[in-house]
Amino acid sequence: MTTTTPSAAPASAPDGRHASPQAPPEEIEAFAGRMFDVLSQASTALMISIGHRTGLFDTLTSLPPSTSTQIAEAAGLQERYVREWLGAMTVARIVTHEHGTDRFSLPDAHAAVLARAAGPDNLSAIMQFIPLLSQVEDAVIHSFRQGGGVPYSAYTRFHELMSELSSASHDAALVEAIVPLEPGLTRRLTDGIRVADIGCGRGHSLNLLASAFPGSAFIGYDFADEAIDAARAEAAEWGLENASFEVRDVTDLTGTGAFDLITAFDAIHDQAHPATVLGQVAAHLAPDGIFLMGDMRASSNLEDNLAIPWSPFLYTVSTMHCMTVSLGLDGAGLGTVWGEQLALRMLADVGLTDVRVEQVEGDFINSYYVARR
């Protein structure tokens, strides 16, 4: 593979038209260097995803400094692939390499961010978005040109990945930190109330609540059959008799009755018709009911998001998934970065005017909206 560095632009176009002023060479060189950094970082993200899915980071944490042969044997993988992956991780300064002994190791500080034992602090799992989203690049480009969007069915492993990410954070924080954002809610759940989860996916969050609060009744709604099947399977495995799941379009909750608590975790901005869904939430809250919504922490104002280091990721996920799946259903295309200001306006529009926006310590991605009528 060959690459070229950018050359200076001509002062005028070949047909004699005036061209844009030429940028200073040092600015061109600096920006070209930045683009190569982007290429390297994106490549590293892909290799980190592979390391996560193959368990190589976990294997490295369990071994002393080891050769590629020893690491491959311990991981049950092919040595030649492991050796090349270790090369990528070494030049990315993620894995250390002892030149004389040809042994590799994962520093403790890196393991605390990349190994599964890190729980919700494990950032290797989120790197899986890079290969997942790249699968639909052609379809998204088609949508750029022709309109419409990409269906959920085009995303292999999407529910699996989202379940992995939400499970890690909710295992650590849902019962102990997120539920207590509303004073008295833990007591009410203990005493027994009706709870619904909108866009429940594989249902792990709802099953966690059902397990922690056996006196309450829980139901999860999602329109994906595969996700609901997984949710029911986990509930059965855990022996939960107070959790049920239903394949349902949540733009219409007719016949479900009133709920004392409705939750929606990272789900509203994906909806084809989010305003309709929020209207249904408001209409189906009991008089003293609570809507607990977790969604991306961002501003509705583009200029404010310049200060968020991971905002390029948020806009990319929006373009490649959240916005396009909504547009694919002739929806609003709200997008991942709908932001706090728009979220508050949309909640107020459906009568949920008593809203607090909360954060959970250690969760730098999400904001939590605690809303009442």
Side-chain angles (χ1 to χ4, degrees), residues 7-12 18-25 27-28:
S7 59
S12 61
H18 182 69
S20 298
Q22 180 178 330
E27 290 186 14
I28 296 174

Side-chain angles (χ1 to χ4, degrees), residues 179 182 184-196 206 209-210 213-219 242-243 258-263 285-286 288-292 372:
V179 166
E182 170 61 20
L185 183 55
T186 298
R187 177 189 54 77
R188 292 182 66 186
L189 285 162
T190 301
D191 292 344
I193 57 176
R194 289 193 77 220
V195 182
L206 198 75
L209 291 173
F213 303 104
S216 289
F218 299 85
I219 185 164
N242 61 330
F259 296 96
D260 305 288
L261 171 65
I262 298 177
T263 60
L285 279 177
D288 60 347
I290 300 160
F291 178 44
L292 176 58
R372 297 174 180 270

Side-chain angles (χ1 to χ4, degrees), residues 254-289:
T254 302
T256 62
F259 296 96
D260 305 288
L261 171 65
I262 298 177
T263 60
F265 298 115
D266 196 27
I268 295 299
H269 69 256
D270 281 343
Q271 301 298 316
H273 306 288
T276 302
V277 173
L278 290 175
Q280 287 293 291
V281 167
H284 289 81
L285 279 177
D288 60 347

Side-chain angles (χ1 to χ4, degrees), residues 301-373:
N301 304 315
L302 175 59
E303 61 274 16
D304 296 337
N305 294 325
L306 288 167
I308 302 175
W310 51 89
S311 58
F313 168 72
L314 297 181
Y315 282 99
T316 299
V317 170
S318 185
T319 304
M320 303 292 288
H321 179 269
C322 302
M323 181 189 74
T324 192
V325 295
S326 175
L327 293 174
L329 295 168
D330 295 323
L334 194 59
T336 312
V337 203
W338 58 319
E340 181 177 316
Q341 296 88 339
L342 179 55
L344 291 173
R345 288 200 299 272
M346 291 180 69
L347 289 168
D349 286 345
V350 298
L352 297 174
T353 55
D354 181 0
V355 184
R356 290 181 290 109
V357 184
E358 304 279 2
Q359 278 82 45
V360 170
E361 184 178 358
D363 184 346
F364 57 89
I365 290 288
N366 297 296
S367 290
Y368 294 92
Y369 299 77
V370 184
R372 297 174 180 270
R373 287 201 187 92

Side-chain angles (χ1 to χ4, degrees), residues 65-68 71 83 86-87 89-91 93-107:
S66 304
T67 66
S68 60
I71 294 166
R83 191 187 345 145
L86 287 165
M89 291 295 94
T90 298
V91 297
R93 277 54 170 191
I94 291 172
V95 165
T96 59
H97 175 237
E98 297 176 5
H99 177 67
T101 62
D102 209 23
R103 295 186 302 177
F104 300 86
S105 59
L106 183 67

